[in-house]
Amino acid sequence: MALIWGPPGTGKTQTLVEIIRQLVRNDKRVLVCGASNLAVDNILARLSVPHPNYSDPIPLTRVGHPARVLSGLTRHALDAQSAQSDTSALLDDIKGDLAALEGQLRGGSGKNRIRGSERKKMWEEVRELRKEFRKRQGGVVSEVVSKAKVVLATTHGCV
């Protein structure tokens, strides 16, 4: 943990970015927390630009609500990286199955409505699909975060 203090324009952010680059270069993983989304995105923007002295780009993941991330940096957001994951297609399938089942259960009236043991069986299937969805979604998030060398979040978002 480090604290860098100084008046505006004295190079605090640039110093942090260089410290992070050096840690990553020495095969360390770094969690970067900032007080605001703008502060975190400022560091993310500087880290995402290739540095002439370092050959490989740093694997970055920005944790937080996608609407709060600056538009040019959304490719680094956890949601965007999760959506590009191999497992995301399976999650979409599970989500589609869930929507279809819930639509059947909530829709229909009168004679078309599903009743009795069949209805109970369908709700159990919905619960199992939700459980499977949460489990697989957690796996996707873990996979994305484990690939990142630098994870960035606000102090509130990293909790």
Side-chain angles (χ1 to χ4, degrees):
M1 185 182 297
L3 172 67
I4 300 173
W5 183 87
T10 56
K12 297 178 295 297
T13 303
Q14 195 57 42
T15 302
L16 281 173
V17 168
E18 187 56 34
I19 289 170
I20 294 165
R21 286 186 194 277
Q22 291 297 323
L23 287 169
V24 169
R25 199 168 167 202
N26 289 321
D27 206 30
K28 303 285 185 197
R29 295 186 69 211
V30 183
L31 172 63
V32 178
C33 298
S36 68
N37 286 298
L38 189 59
V40 173
D41 287 346
N42 189 14
I43 294 172
L44 175 60
R46 292 179 189 216
L47 284 171
S48 64
V49 173
H51 193 276
N53 296 339
Y54 307 114
S55 59
D56 297 330
I58 299 172
L60 305 165
T61 297
R62 169 69 160 90
V63 177
H65 194 284
R68 306 269 191 266
V69 179
L70 291 176
S71 60
L73 302 172
T74 53
R75 70 181 186 278
H76 297 293
L78 179 61
D79 286 354
Q81 292 177 351
S82 295
Q84 294 173 353
S85 171
D86 298 334
T87 318
S88 69
L90 179 61
L91 284 175
D92 291 340
D93 289 344
I94 294 172
K95 195 184 288 187
D97 292 346
L98 263 171
L101 270 174
E102 288 175 343
Q104 284 179 341
L105 287 165
R106 288 191 169 87
S109 59
K111 292 182 181 181
N112 295 337
R113 187 171 178 171
I114 300 169
R115 299 179 190 275
S117 63
E118 186 180 349
R119 184 174 180 81
K120 183 178 179 182
K121 192 175 178 182
M122 287 178 78
W123 274 115
E124 287 175 13
E125 190 175 344
V126 165
R127 278 192 288 278
E128 288 300 316
L129 280 173
R130 285 179 182 164
K131 191 176 183 181
E132 181 72 17
F133 181 79
R134 282 191 303 271
K135 179 182 168 189
R136 293 202 184 257
Q137 189 177 35
V140 169
V141 168
S142 295
E143 177 187 329
V144 168
V145 171
S146 69
K147 287 180 182 177
K149 287 287 189 175
V150 180
V151 176
L152 300 101
T154 60
T155 51
H156 183 266
C158 72
V159 175

